[in-house]
Amino acid sequence: MFFRRNMFCVALATALVPGALVACSSAASPTPALSWQPCTENAEYDCATVRVPIDWADRTGATVDIAVIRDRADDAARKVGTLVSLPGGPGTSGVDEILRGGKFSPQLRARFDIISLDPRGVRRSHPVRCDAGLAAHRPNMVPDLGGRIDEVQSYARDLAASCREHTGPLVDHLDAVSVARDVEALRSALGVDQLSVYSRSYGTMPAQAYAELFPQRLRALVLDSVDDHSLDGRDFFATEARAGQDTFNEFAAWCERDQTCALHDTDVHRVYGYLYARAARGELRDLAEPDRVLGPMDLSAEVTQRLYRPDWAGLTGDLQALTVQPVAAPMPPIESRKSGEPTAMPEVILCADWKFDIEDQGDWIGQWHEQNAQAPTLRAHFAWAAGTFCSGWPTAPQNPPHRPRVDGAAPILIANGLHDPATPHEWATQVAARTSNATLLTYDGWGHGVYDTQCTETAVDSYLIERTVPAPSTHCPAA
């Protein structure tokens, strides 16, 4: 009876507001209480699982166990409540983050039970597995160097079929809305009326979905380095390319003004251009894996990863080492083919939440040139390869892009760096403008994730503990 009533509610709400997220009330039984046990990796923490439907539209069907972890409040007498930490990625393990000591201040650890999880499809929560042979040898993603969109999209379909073979039906239910419903099941299992939520990077996707679906269950919500889920594929590509170029420009400006930069007297834009040309000719090898070719998109991705922290000195060393690397002997191309062996591949989760329309080779080339214009040094952001791949994913995203629809939630705090290579500040500005009762806190520095300086930490802690929201347009100085 519950299932039928719930489906009627979903159908009615979708008819009234096409594409809307809905949280229909029901008389369903609460999720069974968690059976906490000391974690096998570290008995200082408690571990458990919460069982949820693979398909939330079919609550009587197959299930999956979601791994969760608890760091109990150090000052139980002054405990504020429960803080759920939603990890980024996609593919980051929240359980591992807590086991490594977590990211939170002593103040938050004293006042909250801190809970995290491995989202569905990640690590201990039925990880997405795909064919190792296909995963290891991906097609050319650069149209200027002979890449073909029909080959990329054919590869995506083959890989998706292998993911379904090795993962089962969960592969069709990896979206952020499903994760948000898992979080609500976790809340029910915890036996608490409301949650405080800290989310970071891709974790802001299920966090935003939770705010849309269950606004009354939120005591507080932090969106650190937020995804703008209103973007179509073309705008996603363009904004990511601008962010990558902006953060490289910041690195170049530091190198020019700071004599400790080993490339202080060198135009680092030209250095990158030289290395890109060598990568295009197949002359570079990965610094960490000398037997692996470092292609143009690999070079862009590895440089951008250095900008995440940021690690400008490390990036300088990488560029120097690659510049003097001898010309590598050519390696014959390896055709992608199935091995029959599985490997974890959580990055395909992206295809469940984003839509990238690439009609044909001409359209792909046009979008590539738009990337080049937005990122003249880097040529493209690493998101280019992910989005190009998702354009060939055979099933439509279960959680397609849309503007935020949050009504009745507590005040929301958005925190973002001014120079972020992965979640641009322009995303945060747009999400804040379109989200009811949201305030934007800007860190005037560099890197991805801002809960790591005294100013930002103080502001976030005050919001989560006291629910004190910073004044509008508050900025924290670069550290």
Side-chain angles (χ1 to χ4, degrees):
M1 177 61 72
F2 160 70
F3 176 73
R4 291 180 181 274
R5 286 196 317 174
N6 195 59
M7 287 301 96
F8 172 77
C9 174
V10 171
L12 177 60
T14 304
L16 293 173
V17 186
L21 300 184
V22 293
C24 303
S25 61
S26 70
S29 300
T31 308
L34 299 175
S35 177
W36 294 110
Q37 301 292 331
C39 298
T40 57
E41 296 98 324
N42 187 337
E44 293 182 14
Y45 304 105
D46 305 317
C47 284
T49 60
V50 58
R51 183 159 293 176
V52 298
I54 286 178
D55 180 0
W56 275 101
D58 180 10
R59 303 186 187 212
T60 63
T63 61
V64 62
D65 288 339
I66 304 299
V68 297
I69 188 171
R70 176 175 65 182
D71 180 8
R72 284 167 287 178
D74 292 335
D75 188 351
R78 301 176 64 230
K79 188 175 81 170
V80 173
T82 299
L83 175 63
V84 172
S85 176
L86 296 178
T92 300
S93 163
V95 174
D96 286 344
E97 285 186 335
I98 297 295
L99 287 172
R100 290 194 295 265
K103 61 176 73 71
F104 297 109
S105 69
Q107 289 75 22
L108 287 187
R109 294 186 68 182
R111 304 295 297 278
F112 287 94
D113 283 346
I114 298 176
I115 309 285
S116 195
L117 71 158
D118 287 356
R120 54 174 56 209
V122 176
R123 280 287 267 137
R124 302 163 184 84
S125 300
H126 196 100
V128 178
R129 297 187 186 278
C130 309
D131 185 85
L134 292 175
H137 303 294
R138 308 184 189 193
N140 183 353
M141 300 283 188
V142 183
D144 283 354
L145 300 175
R148 299 287 308 175
I149 190 60
D150 54 349
E151 293 178 2
V152 175
Q153 293 176 342
S154 175
Y155 167 82
R157 291 190 293 271
D158 290 343
L159 186 72
S162 81
C163 299
R164 186 165 288 103
E165 175 186 352
H166 291 294
T167 307
L170 183 66
V171 78
D172 293 320
H173 303 282
L174 298 168
D175 57 287
V177 170
S178 294
V179 176
R181 294 189 182 279
D182 296 345
V183 172
E184 174 60 8
L186 173 60
R187 182 205 61 77
S188 176
L190 290 167
V192 297
D193 289 333
Q194 288 190 313
L195 298 173
S196 297
V197 175
Y198 170 88
S199 59
R200 182 170 180 156
S201 192
Y202 209 83
T204 66
M205 294 282 286
Q208 291 177 81
Y210 192 85
E212 293 189 30
L213 288 165
F214 310 106
Q216 301 303 321
R217 295 300 188 181
L218 274 174
R219 175 188 169 274
L221 172 60
V222 176
L223 303 172
D224 181 347
S225 307
V226 67
D227 278 32
D228 181 1
H229 198 217
S230 71
L231 300 173
D232 63 18
R234 210 173 197 109
D235 287 338
F236 182 93
F237 281 150
T239 51
E240 287 282 64
R242 284 198 293 272
Q245 184 66 42
D246 168 70
T247 50
F248 190 89
N249 290 346
E250 290 293 304
F251 158 69
W254 164 79
C255 200
E256 183 178 359
R257 69 175 179 266
D258 193 323
Q259 293 187 1
T260 65
C261 175
L263 295 173
H264 174 63
D265 294 323
T266 307
D267 183 345
V268 294
H269 294 279
R270 294 189 67 179
V271 171
Y272 184 90
Y274 166 74
L275 293 174
Y276 185 90
R278 290 192 60 190
R281 294 192 297 267
E283 297 176 358
L284 295 182
R285 297 294 180 264
D286 189 279
L287 292 174
E289 301 178 53
D291 293 333
R292 188 173 76 88
V293 174
L294 189 73
M297 292 306 303
D298 302 318
L299 176 66
S300 174
E302 295 203 1
V303 167
T304 306
Q305 286 295 322
R306 285 290 197 187
L307 299 171
Y308 261 51
R309 292 180 282 280
D311 182 4
W312 289 342
L315 176 54
T316 303
D318 288 350
L319 296 178
Q320 283 185 305
L322 289 170
T323 299
V324 299
Q325 193 178 80
V327 175
M331 296 182 69
I334 301 175
E335 182 181 350
S336 294
R337 61 182 59 186
K338 291 181 67 175
S339 68
E341 296 297 322
T343 188
M345 203 170 182
E347 56 265 40
V348 304
I349 292 171
L350 183 83
C351 304
D353 292 307
W354 294 92
K355 183 173 173 55
F356 298 89
D357 294 317
I358 301 175
E359 296 180 1
D360 53 30
Q361 186 72 10
D363 184 24
W364 193 42
I365 291 172
Q367 294 194 46
W368 171 254
H369 290 158
E370 291 172 11
Q371 279 279 288
N372 299 165
Q374 299 293 341
T377 303
L378 299 179
R379 273 60 166 191
H381 192 278
F382 65 77
W384 168 260
T388 294
F389 168 81
C390 285
S391 75
W393 195 254
T395 55
Q398 296 83 40
N399 174 35
H402 60 276
R403 289 193 177 197
R405 294 186 289 263
V406 179
D407 184 25
I412 296 170
L413 178 60
I414 300 172
N416 220 94
L418 192 60
H419 304 289
D420 187 321
T423 52
H425 189 261
E426 62 180 293
W427 286 8
T429 301
Q430 186 150 279
V431 174
R434 292 176 172 176
T435 302
S436 175
N437 216 10
T439 297
L440 174 60
L441 170 69
T442 297
Y443 167 61
D444 291 332
W446 311 269
H448 183 53
V450 304
Y451 183 72
D452 54 7
T453 73
Q454 181 177 356
C455 176
T456 54
E457 186 178 291
T458 299
V460 170
D461 285 0
S462 178
Y463 166 72
L464 287 173
I465 295 172
E466 307 292 343
R467 288 193 285 190
T468 302
V469 180
S473 303
T474 294
H475 286 246
C476 280

